[in-house]
Amino acid sequence: MILAVSITQNPSPLSNGYCGRFAPSPTGPLHAGSLVAALGSWLDARKNGGQWLLRIEDVDSPRCARGADQDILRQLLACGLRWDGEVSWQSRHQERYQAALETLNTLQCLYPCTCSRQTIASALAAQGTQTPRNQEQVYPATCRPTPLQINDLSASLGQQVAWRLALPHDCVVNFDDIRLGAQQQKLNTSVGDFVLRRSDGLFTYQLAVVVDDAEQGVSHVVRGEDLLSNTARQIHLQELLGYSRPQYLHLPLVLDEKGEKLSKQTWATSIQTADAKQALKELQRAAKHLGLSGLPDGQDTSIAEYLLAATQSWGNR
Ligand code: GLU
Ligand code: ZN
């Protein structure tokens, strides 16, 4: 059901420069965790009188589920979370990412890599480095040439090479998170030279998100804490590409009763938004998770009223 009246209709023209966004990957419909990110970023934008954009992050096409983008749009509308302007689809913006790759190439910080996961694991083992399970391998720079040079990117088209970003020595990124405070990541020891374009030709999330946030003028990135460890990489890319740095707010993860990250079963099940009552319940659950209090907890509130109360409560947390 789509609400006839919503407090987000006809947003006033932007005056204060706040631009937020929600950027789901359409690997499935919205679940409890992604609704928290949607609601948190929407509330922050509305509270600040800013815009809220919707970007479907479908660069990793093999992981996308058919129709999931439309499900997400429908679920957001059912929850009264209206976006400003046109929806943006990353799969339609390949030229932007290619142009950014070309720019980085002229800065002599790209190199081709043909390593498989297995080659990387063997190289790390030979160095005596063990990567704990569930942790990313820190790329040991096997393919990195010295000195670095400008490459002919078009000559490699059709070849199975990945393009990695060569990090400077001691690449330490410091940033502030609005909720979590001062953050620091040493990219060389925690990530290593990372991939911007994969050997199958697809651009990676790290590059696409940075280019799009800059292209769309995003000033505030409000998203789940599971993405915190990507932020330093994104800031480093912004600096190389001459983009300005948005403000970051990473929202608390949805955990189960044992305090553990929700399993696939509980975490990834779709939220229920077939009717307004169900959608309200989902919003109530997400708002509670965001630490909002004093909101109507019954079923006799309209979604528009609920979102208005939540917007007033946001920021007073
Ligand atoms: N597309 C990413 C995801 O759904 C989120 C990107 C972001 O908010 O930076 O996990
Ligand atoms: Zn390699």
Side-chain angles (χ1 to χ4, degrees):
M1 199 211 74
I2 295 170
L3 286 167
V5 183
S6 160
I7 55 162
T8 67
Q9 271 180 347
N10 305 321
S12 54
L14 237 206
S15 55
N16 63 4
Y18 184 113
C19 182
R21 77 339 182 244
F22 176 51
S25 303
T27 51
L30 287 183
H31 49 71
S34 44
L35 182 63
V36 166
L39 180 62
S41 59
W42 186 91
L43 288 171
D44 203 55
R46 294 300 173 233
K47 180 82 180 188
N48 287 288
Q51 285 198 304
W52 188 66
L53 308 180
L54 177 60
R55 182 170 72 230
I56 301 292
E57 298 213 318
D58 57 351
V59 264
D60 190 354
S61 43
R63 285 191 58 233
C64 296
R66 184 184 288 269
D69 53 351
Q70 297 303 329
D71 289 339
I72 292 171
L73 266 55
R74 230 184 338 266
Q75 289 174 306
L76 288 171
L77 290 175
C79 291
L81 303 178
R82 292 176 176 274
W83 52 91
D84 296 310
E86 305 259 311
V87 180
S88 157
W89 270 265
Q90 285 191 324
S91 55
R92 301 179 190 168
H93 295 129
Q94 304 294 310
E95 352 52 70
R96 282 183 194 171
Y97 313 135
Q98 184 63 31
L101 199 70
E102 307 273 358
T103 302
L104 294 167
N105 187 34
T106 60
L107 298 175
Q108 300 190 23
C109 51
L110 279 192
Y111 64 90
C113 168
T114 49
C115 298
S116 63
R117 288 189 71 79
Q118 194 45 53
T119 331
I120 298 172
S122 312
L124 287 171
Q127 282 180 1
T129 313
Q130 280 191 347
T131 308
R133 282 188 67 177
N134 302 330
Q135 222 165 305
E136 273 178 79
Q137 295 169 319
V138 177
Y139 181 62
T142 321
C143 294
R144 179 168 170 153
T146 2
L148 290 156
Q149 46 208 294
I150 298 183
N151 308 277
D152 181 356
L153 291 185
S154 56
S156 74
L157 279 182
Q159 292 174 15
Q160 296 277 310
V161 298
W163 290 94
R164 288 188 183 269
L165 182 74
L167 295 171
H169 288 296
D170 291 325
C171 187
V172 181
V173 176
N174 290 289
F175 64 98
D176 283 312
D177 179 87
I178 293 171
R179 183 175 73 95
L180 301 165
Q183 304 291 314
Q184 183 181 78
Q185 193 177 30
K186 296 187 168 107
L187 284 178
N188 307 80
T189 49
S190 61
V191 181
D193 294 345
F194 55 96
V195 174
L196 299 181
R197 188 171 179 173
R198 302 183 344 195
S199 60
D200 59 7
L202 295 177
F203 294 100
T204 59
Y205 158 65
Q206 307 295 351
L207 181 68
V209 78
V210 164
V211 171
D212 282 340
D213 281 341
E215 190 82 28
Q216 296 185 282
V218 169
S219 64
H220 288 70
V221 171
V222 180
R223 60 186 177 189
E225 198 179 321
D226 52 328
L227 293 163
L228 183 68
S229 62
N230 295 282
T231 307
R233 268 171 272 189
Q234 294 169 14
I235 288 174
H236 179 60
L237 279 173
Q238 286 156 9
E239 287 176 354
L240 288 172
L241 290 164
Y243 300 153
S244 52
R245 182 189 300 193
Q247 294 201 43
Y248 288 97
L249 168 57
H250 288 89
L251 302 167
L253 280 184
V254 178
L255 303 175
D256 66 17
E257 309 83 57
K258 292 191 213 125
E260 283 166 17
K261 209 172 149 178
L262 290 185
S263 66
K264 255 242 138 49
Q265 283 73 10
T266 37
W267 170 259
T269 46
S270 176
I271 55 163
Q272 298 304 312
T273 53
D275 64 52
K277 279 212 165 17
Q278 286 178 317
L280 178 64
K281 263 208 181 122
E282 299 288 4
L283 281 173
Q284 287 169 326
R285 187 156 69 129
K288 193 164 161 216
H289 183 75
L290 287 167
L292 297 177
S293 54
L295 299 180
D297 51 10
Q299 286 292 290
D300 47 3
T301 312
S302 75
I303 285 179
E305 282 165 351
Y306 187 79
L307 287 175
L308 185 58
T311 307
Q312 280 157 358
S313 161
W314 182 259
N316 305 331
R317 290 163 304 147

